[in-house]
Amino acid sequence: MMPDLGKYAAEVLSAYAVTIALMVGLLVISLRQSAKTKAALRAVEEARQARKAGGQETNG
Amino acid sequence: MIALLKRDLALSVRAGGGFGLALAFFLIVVTLTPFAVGPNSATLSTIAAGILWLGALLSCLLSLDRILALDYEDGALELLATAPIPMEGVATIKALAHWLTTGLPLTLAAPAFGVLLNLPPEGFLWLTISLAIGTPALSVVGTFGAALTVGLKRGGLLLSLIVLPLYVPTLIFGAEVARRGAEGMAFETPLALLAGITLATVALLPFASAAAIRINLR
Amino acid sequence: MIALLKRDLALSVRAGGGFGLALAFFLIVVTLTPFAVGPNSATLSTIAAGILWLGALLSCLLSLDRILALDYEDGALELLATAPIPMEGVATIKALAHWLTTGLPLTLAAPAFGVLLNLPPEGFLWLTISLAIGTPALSVVGTFGAALTVGLKRGGLLLSLIVLPLYVPTLIFGAEVARRGAEGMAFETPLALLAGITLATVALLPFASAAAIRINLR
Amino acid sequence: MSERLPRPTSLWEYANPRRFMAFSGFLLPFVAAGTVAALVIGLVWGFFFTPDDYRQGSTVKIIYIHVPSAMVAINAWLMMLVASLIWLIRRHHVSALAAKAAAPVGATMTLIALATGAIWGQPMWGTWWAWDPRLTSFLVLFLFYLGYMALWAAIENDDTAAELTSVLCIVGSVFAVLSRYALVFWNQGLHQGASLSLDKEENVSDVFYWPLLLCLAGFVGFFVLLILVRTRTEVRARRMRALQARERMT
Amino acid sequence: MELIVSDLAVVRGGMRVLEGVNFRVSSGTALVLRGPNGIGKTTLLRTLAGLQLADEGAVAPGPEAMAYASHADGNKGTLSVSENLEFWASLHGVDDISVALREFNMEALEARPAGSLSAGQKRRLGLARMAVTGRRIWLFDEPTVSLDVDSVALFADAVRRHLGQGGLAVIATHIDLGLEGEVLQLGPFKAEAPEDHHEDFHEAFL
Amino acid sequence: MELIVSDLAVVRGGMRVLEGVNFRVSSGTALVLRGPNGIGKTTLLRTLAGLQLADEGAVAPGPEAMAYASHADGNKGTLSVSENLEFWASLHGVDDISVALREFNMEALEARPAGSLSAGQKRRLGLARMAVTGRRIWLFDEPTVSLDVDSVALFADAVRRHLGQGGLAVIATHIDLGLEGEVLQLGPFKAEAPEDHHEDFHEAFL
Ligand code: HEM
Ligand SMILES: Nc1ncnc2c1ncn2[C@@H]1O[C@H](COP(=O)(O)OP(=O)(O)OP(=O)(O)O)[C@@H](O)[C@H]1O
Ligand SMILES: Nc1ncnc2c1ncn2[C@@H]1O[C@H](COP(=O)(O)OP(=O)(O)OP(=O)(O)O)[C@@H](O)[C@H]1O
Ligand SMILES: [Mg+2]
Ligand SMILES: [Mg+2]
């Protein structure tokens, strides 16, 4: 399956490895941040909703 | 405007104002270089013009954060913004004051430092000329960087990070003029380009600086 | 004391804390050098070790004014002085925090930058070792300089001026180790001297720094 | 955020955060699928099923990552420039956030181009690094990315940061172009010229052409995908800060 | 001459803090702004001074008629008291600083470097700067911080003299200055938290 | 426990500003320092806190019994309120910051970065630091600057509680804190301009 890379195998493979590592790393970081802020925003919105509901009860 | 220039110059020559510090820093960088790269005089004289330019650039850099940050911290910048003088004028005067207190002394002193680094004799004239033409651009670009970072506490390192890439063209052409001058090669093209960069930055960047200051004060 | 170290590290990695800026500055100095001295790779590889040391030293230098000045300005230094922890401890911790956030990353990154300057392959190991041994001295000496200038507004340039001469021995021996390492020469003597300087400064200078801080607070 | 919005009447309405969130949310899966397909097919084709070059040997396979990443790196900066201009002129917050989101992606792409280039340089030119103008201007581009990101990180107020980074991006672009010419003047290089131009004479031979194009599409897709994801994150973070600030007020 | 603020809304940190602010101050009178910490006094004054843009509404006349004294005095420690004042005077095209020195009782300190003054003396120097701007409308943000009782009286006198010459003043303060003049409580102008308009989301992320 | 200041002379900028200061403050009481701008209140407090040396005279007990709150609060904008307090608490070997948070009504702000607080809230954080030092003698330099009326009352309560637990406090202020306690006017202790003793010449250049 593996093509014969000849004497340059190390170079070619390390180039691909570096690229994939950097791209996957960036992707993972981005997705993790995305998930985090999503959760945090949801928490804030829910707290607000809850407070609003509570506030209305005491008012009415 | 003249009042502002006079005040800035007065501040920089008063105790603690930092006049002469850039020069001293320049001296130190130049002195340290042989320690770092070794005392071989042939090597030194090849790299002399470059190191002198690099040293001038770095010592210019180190004094950038004084251009605006002091005025920002003590509130004077806000008051200047409400004074009857356009912010572009303030940015220009600030850059001019910076050049008069760092670029100009550096230019005048550079030949003396050239001796320390075995700069070839033909190089002195062109080193001086290239610095005289190039350092105004360093001050103007530096003022722009200072304007961007003026709201930040101790933004010195960030300021350097932003400004240094902007110094690349000036440094390349400036050092090229000095190097070619030292080696007796043709240097008209880089000299013209250097002058072009200086003129363009002096003419245009104060507007960007003024905008950045206004945004930072908001 | 641990609390102080933890706080300082936390501050430097938080937004605006400036972690990584020293590294970026190092990268820029290394990049600018060839623009100044020309792209000739033989010349570059001769001066590589020296320039790398000089760059490390300068980027260390630029972050010095954050060591104490921020704490001074917001009053935290006065409060530390009244806290039940000796000022010598404060000085040591501050230097340690500085080293962890600048010297250490610089040391680890230096080989990568060596590639840019055509550092000969034999040089990498000894460059790293010399930096690892030498940079703690830079931080400790720098803390001393910061302690001397802590009362001054924007004392950055003055600080550099005071500290640079004190860096000379470290620079000489450090660059010598790296250069000899690169050229395959004997480097035991400078290495021993470098280690000696580091040990001596780490052991003694915090006392001087503490005294300087106390005087500046008075 | 789930109710229906009226149909947009102008392109600019996509700069409304809510509409942006809706639209980008809709787009994301398609972009992701396209990206994965293009990347996998392109890279597999390139890596496994193209012959070695007669001069460069198997190292020619590096072209499938080197060239696309270099192109994306440059175009990411262009995109930031456009987004900054839109923010400064039309004051659409999303475009400022998109510029912010693009910077780390562009910087990573620059890093990939530098790394793969360096790795390629070792067998081809006998050195990892040479101060060739194209290489060097990439290094300078990397520095611009770093400065831009550092400025974003250092300023606390979101709007101030957006304004100042936009100004930096515009001024920086001018200086980046200047540097490029300065560098060409300063040193003539080792690096090959354009080989992917439209006029076919100069192009790389056909065997390499199609997989390269696919990889290019994959990298562009990857870029778009990440911009979308990261901009969405920024919009959410921004909304969260706004809500928190409002809570503080009341 | 009259200062007319109509329907002004001011923002700080991306949020409206005050809105619907309406007032007029006519020549010869002073307006005292009051309100708890964080209500937006500083923000309002900065908007009047033209240092930040109004979110809505208008201020007449423009910033070129106003002199603003903020928390910070903007004086240079290494310049002497008179050099500091002369600088501001010449920026504003005013020749004479002796009146300002006299009004704020700085004559004895004239030659002292500003850095060696005590907190209260520095403040007096900052206030004296207003007298060399030659402008009609004076804006003060907590002018009496760190002033002792005598200096507060001195300040009130100076303001009164300015008013007597047809000037006008807007002063934000927590304490009683002994100045006659209207008082504006800012409390009622506090901006409402914006509702969850979906349309609004597009500008302010709310 | 008692704070005894005997015959103290303090210097600032190379000049004596106060001399012959004598007072005692005993456990459970507060002393309020008053005097015009520049008389030397800050200088006196710094001397008590051990930040500068006395020119003459003595202070007992030493600085290790004192907690000092200066004009500046020493808090870090990027750390949260509780991180800031925890740092000072652990420096002083105190475990619990919840009391300090409660006393200064900072509980709701606990997780906020200190940089995002308003001037008055920042000040409250600075004052709350005193409660985590675990020290008996509290020294305050104009603690109420930029505090509104409610916060001033909060501060007075906190000091009163500290006094009730056997602590003592020295407070320099220009305003009325609503705290019972002795008042010391510093005016009478103003240092005389030294005479032209030739013997002194070699000491103070005067
Ligand atoms: C660190 C080293 C290198 C860097 C930073 C670098 C950077 C670049 C850049 C910026 C481009 C232009 C992309 C575009 O605008 O179209 C490019 C294209 C290319 N590079 Fe490199 N390169 C490096 C080393 C190499 C080496 C060693 C080789 C092979 C011997 C190589 C082969 C190519 C090829 C064939 C192209 C495509 C040319 C084109 O289509 O324009 N590069 N590289
Ligand atoms: N840098 C900032 N970023 C975000 N919000 C801020 C900032 N500075 C102040 N604020 C907020 O803006 C509002 C108005 O602040 P402003 O300084 O105008 O109040 P003020 O009335 O002058 O208060 P004080 O009496 O404490 O001086 C406050 O709620 C404050 O929390
Ligand atoms: N850095 C300095 N150098 C020289 N003299 C100074 C310096 N700082 C203050 N002084 C002088 O020392 C004296 C005492 O100052 P201090 O700050 O202790 O006064 P204070 O009573 O706290 O005044 P305020 O009420 O204004 O805060 C003043 O006369 C002042 O002019
Ligand atoms: Mg205010
Ligand atoms: Mg005081």
Side-chain angles (χ1 to χ4, degrees):
Chain A
M1 184 65 215
M2 196 66 187
D4 177 24
L5 295 172
K7 59 181 172 171
Y8 298 131
E11 277 85 7
V12 176
L13 289 178
S14 62
Y16 274 80
V18 167
T19 307
I20 289 169
L22 282 173
M23 282 170 76
V24 169
L26 185 65
L27 187 67
V28 167
I29 289 173
S30 303
L31 289 179
R32 182 161 339 122
Q33 276 173 351
S34 166
K36 249 194 204 151
T37 33
K38 207 170 179 174
L41 177 62
R42 190 176 304 129
V44 170
E45 303 238 35
E46 271 163 12
R48 229 162 62 92
Q49 234 67 48
R51 191 151 343 106
K52 247 187 211 160
Q56 268 152 11
E57 268 161 38
T58 48
N59 286 346
Chain B
M1 307 260 276
I2 302 291
L4 181 58
L5 182 62
K6 272 197 332 221
R7 185 195 70 151
D8 274 11
L9 294 179
L11 282 175
S12 82
V13 297
R14 294 282 161 96
F19 182 78
L21 289 181
L23 213 53
F25 183 80
F26 189 33
L27 173 62
I28 293 181
V29 170
V30 170
T31 352
L32 286 185
T33 306
F35 294 136
V37 304
N40 181 329
S41 68
T43 315
L44 278 180
S45 90
T46 347
I47 63 171
I51 293 292
L52 287 170
W53 250 94
L54 198 60
L57 188 150
L58 289 174
S59 42
C60 188
L61 192 74
L62 274 181
S63 47
L64 287 181
D65 72 338
R66 301 182 75 99
I67 299 184
L68 294 169
L70 287 174
D71 276 344
Y72 178 82
E73 280 162 15
D74 65 12
L77 200 56
E78 277 197 349
L79 300 180
L80 283 174
T82 63
I85 142 177
M87 198 45 99
E88 285 75 13
V90 174
T92 313
I93 295 287
K94 288 276 169 190
L96 178 59
H98 180 257
W99 183 72
L100 288 176
T101 54
T102 55
L104 188 61
L106 284 181
T107 306
L108 298 178
F113 295 114
V115 175
L116 292 180
L117 292 182
N118 288 321
L119 186 70
E122 308 77 42
F124 287 90
L125 177 64
W126 293 105
L127 175 70
T128 314
I129 290 181
S130 69
L131 282 173
I133 296 180
T135 46
L138 299 185
S139 290
V140 176
V141 174
T143 306
F144 171 66
L148 281 181
T149 54
V150 71
L152 309 171
K153 272 202 178 170
R154 301 269 144 195
L157 206 46
L158 176 65
L159 172 57
S160 322
L161 186 58
I162 288 173
V163 165
L164 277 179
L166 303 178
Y167 278 174
V168 168
T170 312
L171 175 64
I172 290 181
F173 291 126
E176 193 75 15
V177 170
R179 203 164 65 241
R180 294 194 178 192
E183 291 169 10
M185 287 155 44
F187 48 74
E188 285 75 16
T189 326
L191 191 63
L193 290 169
L194 183 66
I197 288 177
T198 300
L199 287 178
T201 51
V202 170
L204 299 177
L205 263 188
F207 294 94
S209 312
I213 295 175
R214 271 196 226 98
I215 293 165
N216 260 319
L217 285 182
R218 209 175 278 162
Chain C
M1 307 262 273
I2 301 293
L4 183 58
L5 182 63
K6 274 203 321 225
R7 185 195 70 150
D8 274 12
L9 294 180
L11 283 175
S12 83
V13 298
R14 294 279 161 100
F19 182 78
L21 287 182
L23 213 53
F25 183 82
F26 190 29
L27 172 61
I28 293 181
V29 170
V30 170
T31 320
L32 289 186
T33 306
F35 299 153
V37 304
N40 181 329
S41 66
T43 315
L44 282 178
S45 93
T46 344
I47 63 171
I51 295 292
L52 286 170
W53 250 95
L54 199 59
L57 188 151
L58 288 174
S59 44
C60 191
L61 195 70
L62 271 182
S63 48
L64 287 181
D65 71 338
R66 300 183 79 100
I67 298 184
L68 293 170
L70 287 174
D71 274 345
Y72 178 81
E73 280 162 14
D74 64 14
L77 198 58
E78 277 196 349
L79 300 179
L80 283 174
T82 63
I85 140 177
M87 198 42 100
E88 286 74 15
V90 173
T92 312
I93 295 289
K94 288 274 167 188
L96 178 59
H98 180 256
W99 184 73
L100 288 176
T101 53
T102 55
L104 187 61
L106 284 181
T107 305
L108 298 177
F113 296 117
V115 173
L116 292 180
L117 293 181
N118 290 315
L119 186 70
E122 308 77 40
F124 287 88
L125 177 64
W126 292 106
L127 175 71
T128 313
I129 290 181
S130 69
L131 281 173
I133 296 180
T135 46
L138 298 185
S139 291
V140 175
V141 174
T143 306
F144 173 62
L148 283 181
T149 55
V150 71
L152 309 172
K153 271 202 177 167
R154 303 266 147 194
L157 201 48
L158 176 65
L159 170 57
S160 321
L161 214 55
I162 291 177
V163 166
L164 275 180
L166 303 177
Y167 277 176
V168 169
T170 310
L171 176 66
I172 293 180
F173 295 124
E176 193 72 17
V177 171
R179 206 167 60 242
R180 294 196 179 191
E183 292 168 8
M185 289 157 37
F187 48 74
E188 284 74 16
T189 327
L191 190 62
L193 288 170
L194 183 67
I197 290 176
T198 300
L199 288 179
T201 52
V202 169
L204 299 176
L205 265 187
F207 294 95
S209 310
I213 295 175
R214 271 196 226 99
I215 291 167
N216 262 322
L217 285 182
R218 208 173 280 163
Chain D
M1 265 194 232
S2 52
E3 38 190 302
R4 292 201 71 83
L5 291 164
R7 282 187 71 77
T9 50
S10 132
L11 187 64
W12 293 114
E13 288 188 24
Y14 288 106
N16 171 324
R18 229 161 66 81
R19 204 177 295 281
F20 170 79
M21 290 304 273
F23 185 62
S24 61
F26 165 79
L27 220 56
L28 259 181
F30 299 99
V31 176
T35 303
V36 170
L39 269 185
V40 168
I41 298 176
L43 286 179
V44 167
W45 185 353
F47 190 82
F48 293 103
F49 303 110
T50 55
D52 289 356
D53 187 77
Y54 68 99
R55 261 185 312 124
Q56 308 191 359
S58 65
T59 60
V60 73
K61 295 188 194 305
I62 296 178
I63 204 172
Y64 304 115
I65 48 185
H66 175 74
V67 173
S69 60
M71 285 184 158
V72 171
I74 293 171
N75 289 304
W77 185 270
L78 279 182
M79 179 231 141
M80 279 159 53
L81 177 60
V82 172
S84 300
L85 284 171
I86 293 178
W87 157 249
L88 283 183
I89 296 167
R90 306 222 27 159
R91 321 229 40 99
H92 288 304
H93 286 80
V94 174
S95 66
L97 294 181
K100 180 184 186 184
V105 188
T108 309
M109 286 299 166
T110 316
L111 206 56
I112 292 177
L114 282 171
T116 52
I119 293 170
W120 201 351
Q122 179 62 13
M124 286 305 106
W125 306 333
T127 172
W128 300 97
W129 181 262
W131 292 92
D132 165 281
R134 170 126 28 149
L135 277 59
T136 310
S137 53
F138 245 58
L139 198 56
V140 173
L141 180 65
F142 187 58
L143 297 180
F144 276 113
Y145 275 121
L146 288 185
Y148 180 87
M149 291 192 291
L151 191 61
W152 260 112
I155 303 174
E156 274 164 40
N157 185 301
D158 291 304
D159 276 347
T160 312
E163 309 253 13
L164 292 176
T165 50
S166 306
V167 174
L168 176 64
C169 184
I170 291 164
V171 173
S173 304
V174 175
F175 276 85
V177 173
L178 266 181
S179 312
R180 174 84 188 127
Y181 285 103
L183 287 163
V184 171
F185 175 84
W186 170 72
N187 187 21
Q188 64 291 53
L190 290 165
H191 199 283
Q192 34 267 94
S195 51
L196 254 192
S197 62
L198 285 178
D199 108 54
K200 262 247 171 181
E201 306 311 319
E202 295 178 14
N203 277 359
V204 285
S205 47
D206 280 348
V207 253
F208 306 125
Y209 186 76
W210 287 107
L212 182 54
L213 220 53
L214 258 181
C215 287
L216 195 56
F219 270 71
V220 171
F222 181 76
F223 175 69
V224 173
L225 177 71
L226 277 181
I227 299 296
L228 288 180
V229 171
R230 296 184 68 92
T231 311
R232 286 168 67 83
T233 307
E234 296 292 345
V235 170
R236 288 200 178 102
R238 198 51 207 279
R239 174 165 167 80
M240 192 171 74
R241 281 195 294 275
L243 287 178
Q244 282 168 339
R246 182 157 82 178
E247 235 120 80
R248 246 172 257 165
M249 264 175 61
T250 46
Chain E
M1 175 161 205
E2 208 177 16
L3 169 66
I4 306 172
V5 169
S6 35
D7 213 23
L8 193 69
V10 299
V11 274
R12 184 72 187 264
M15 300 283 288
R16 276 203 186 180
V17 291
L18 293 172
E19 58 191 12
V21 181
N22 277 293
F23 60 79
R24 288 168 169 252
V25 192
S26 48
S27 197
T29 59
L31 179 75
V32 175
L33 300 177
R34 288 188 183 281
N37 285 142
I39 188 73
K41 299 180 292 299
T42 302
T43 315
L44 178 57
L45 287 175
R46 284 174 53 87
T47 312
L48 296 186
L51 285 168
Q52 52 178 83
L53 299 176
D55 200 30
E56 208 181 273
V59 179
E64 56 290 340
M66 322 249 183
Y68 171 56
S70 66
H71 283 280
D73 295 321
N75 290 313
K76 296 297 170 182
T78 47
L79 299 183
S80 73
V81 167
S82 57
E83 280 171 326
N84 269 304
L85 276 184
E86 267 158 17
F87 166 65
W88 293 115
S90 68
L91 262 196
H92 286 87
V94 171
D95 294 328
D96 189 24
I97 62 162
S98 59
V99 180
L101 283 173
R102 183 152 21 85
E103 283 196 344
F104 288 89
N105 191 19
M106 301 289 291
E107 280 166 321
L109 303 171
E110 199 178 340
R112 286 264 295 273
S116 78
L117 302 177
S118 88
Q121 294 164 336
K122 276 187 190 135
R123 191 75 196 154
R124 276 190 350 240
L125 174 55
L127 296 175
R129 185 186 59 78
M130 301 294 272
V132 301
T133 56
R135 294 193 165 169
R136 299 284 296 279
I137 304 177
W138 285 4
L139 310 172
F140 292 100
D141 196 357
E142 305 200 35
T144 57
V145 164
S146 69
L147 288 187
D148 56 17
V149 183
D150 292 347
S151 309
V152 171
L154 211 62
F155 165 69
D157 287 343
V159 172
R160 233 174 265 125
R161 251 192 312 274
H162 178 65
L163 300 181
Q165 290 158 10
L168 51 96
V170 180
I171 307 170
T173 183
H174 290 295
I175 69 158
D176 180 34
L177 297 173
L179 260 180
E180 41 294 321
E182 270 180 85
V183 171
L184 183 69
Q185 288 289 351
L186 287 178
F189 302 107
K190 189 167 175 182
E192 305 269 302
E195 282 167 50
D196 267 330
H197 290 309
H198 287 304
E199 296 88 314
D200 279 4
F201 182 42
H202 96 265
E203 275 311 298
F205 296 90
L206 281 170
Chain F
M1 172 155 207
E2 207 177 17
L3 169 65
I4 306 173
V5 169
S6 35
D7 212 24
L8 193 69
V10 299
V11 274
R12 185 71 187 266
M15 301 278 286
R16 276 202 186 181
V17 292
L18 294 171
E19 57 191 12
V21 181
N22 277 294
F23 61 79
R24 287 168 170 253
V25 192
S26 49
S27 197
T29 58
L31 178 73
V32 175
L33 299 178
R34 288 188 184 281
N37 287 142
I39 188 73
K41 299 180 292 298
T42 303
T43 314
L44 177 58
L45 287 175
R46 285 174 53 87
T47 312
L48 295 185
L51 285 168
Q52 52 179 82
L53 297 177
D55 199 32
E56 208 180 274
V59 179
E64 57 290 339
M66 322 252 184
Y68 171 55
S70 66
H71 283 279
D73 295 323
N75 290 312
K76 297 295 171 186
T78 46
L79 299 183
S80 74
V81 166
S82 58
E83 280 171 326
N84 269 303
L85 275 184
E86 266 158 17
F87 166 65
W88 293 114
S90 69
L91 265 195
H92 286 87
V94 171
D95 293 328
D96 189 24
I97 63 162
S98 60
V99 179
L101 284 173
R102 184 151 20 86
E103 282 197 344
F104 288 88
N105 190 18
M106 301 290 290
E107 280 165 320
L109 304 171
E110 200 178 342
R112 287 265 294 275
S116 79
L117 301 178
S118 91
Q121 293 165 336
K122 273 187 192 137
R123 192 76 197 150
R124 256 157 48 208
L125 174 56
L127 296 174
R129 185 186 58 78
M130 301 295 271
V132 300
T133 56
R135 293 196 166 167
R136 298 283 297 280
I137 305 178
W138 286 4
L139 310 173
F140 292 99
D141 196 357
E142 305 198 36
T144 57
V145 164
S146 69
L147 288 187
D148 57 17
V149 184
D150 291 349
S151 309
V152 172
L154 210 65
F155 165 69
D157 286 346
V159 172
R160 231 174 267 124
R161 250 190 314 272
H162 179 63
L163 299 181
Q165 290 159 8
L168 53 96
V170 180
I171 307 171
T173 182
H174 291 294
I175 70 159
D176 179 35
L177 297 172
L179 259 181
E180 41 293 321
E182 268 179 89
V183 171
L184 183 69
Q185 288 289 351
L186 287 178
F189 302 106
K190 190 166 175 184
E192 307 268 303
E195 283 166 49
D196 270 332
H197 290 310
H198 287 300
E199 297 88 314
D200 280 7
F201 185 56
H202 79 275
E203 275 302 302
F205 296 92
L206 279 170

